[in-house]
Amino acid sequence: MQRLTSILRIASLGLLAGACLQVQAVEINGMKDFSDLHGRYAPAGNCKRQPQIVVDAGGMTFEVAGAKARVTNPEFAASYFGGASDNYEGISRVFFPFRNGQDGYPIIMMFNAEENKGILTIAGHDEGWKGGPALTPRNSALVAGSPYSRCK
């Protein structure tokens, strides 16, 4: 019985630790507080190529195959590199522009990826992983265009 109690305690601690490691994202209104990220991004910084992403004070505009999608309330993953107690002071910023149901985020965007100013990467998050749901055509094009840079 004592062994079972110990196993249950360890399992409970593991679940609690896992819950603490989850990224907390907060919906924001526009991108006015992220002026250092404003600009037009294209694959390798070549604005003759598609897709393109425009970031301005009002939000993000995604241009894919002639279609535009405007996002004014992306989710900012403020705790992606750890919470306030971890004192992350780098320049990378993570956003989830689209929602897939209540809590799903099909793609993840990292500005200043790997601490490289002006580099934007886009990857599948809740879509596009082995055994999971496929990326939609728009999201597939955005992932395929990565990495992006500000237009030259």
Side-chain angles (χ1 to χ4, degrees), residues 31 33-41 53-56 60 76 91-95 110-112 117-120 150:
M31 295 289 289
D33 294 329
F34 299 94
S35 60
D36 59 317
L37 304 180
H38 293 179
R40 178 177 292 273
Y41 296 80
I53 298 102
V54 177
V55 179
D56 57 34
M60 302 177 190
F76 172 50
I91 61 170
S92 294
R93 300 290 178 260
V94 174
F95 294 86
M110 183 179 297
F111 288 87
N112 300 325
K117 190 168 181 67
I119 302 297
L120 165 63
R150 283 197 181 100

Side-chain angles (χ1 to χ4, degrees), residues 43-119:
N46 181 351
C47 268
K48 293 180 181 173
R49 294 179 57 197
Q50 285 280 316
Q52 294 183 15
I53 298 102
V54 177
V55 179
D56 57 34
M60 302 177 190
T61 302
F62 297 85
E63 301 173 7
V64 180
K68 292 184 180 183
R70 181 78 171 156
V71 174
T72 59
N73 61 335
E75 298 259 344
F76 172 50
S79 66
Y80 190 81
F81 298 103
S85 62
D86 291 333
N87 297 320
Y88 172 72
E89 295 181 15
I91 61 170
S92 294
R93 300 290 178 260
V94 174
F95 294 86
F96 298 104
F98 306 113
R99 286 178 197 76
N100 190 1
Q102 288 288 342
D103 296 318
Y105 305 108
I107 62 170
I108 184 171
M109 302 174 72
M110 183 179 297
F111 288 87
N112 300 325
E114 297 182 26
E115 305 302 316
N116 293 306
K117 190 168 181 67
I119 302 297

Side-chain angles (χ1 to χ4, degrees), residues 3-17:
R3 179 180 161 106
L4 179 60
T5 303
S6 295
I7 290 170
L8 289 173
R9 277 191 196 140
I10 291 169
S12 296
L13 288 174
L15 288 173
L16 180 60

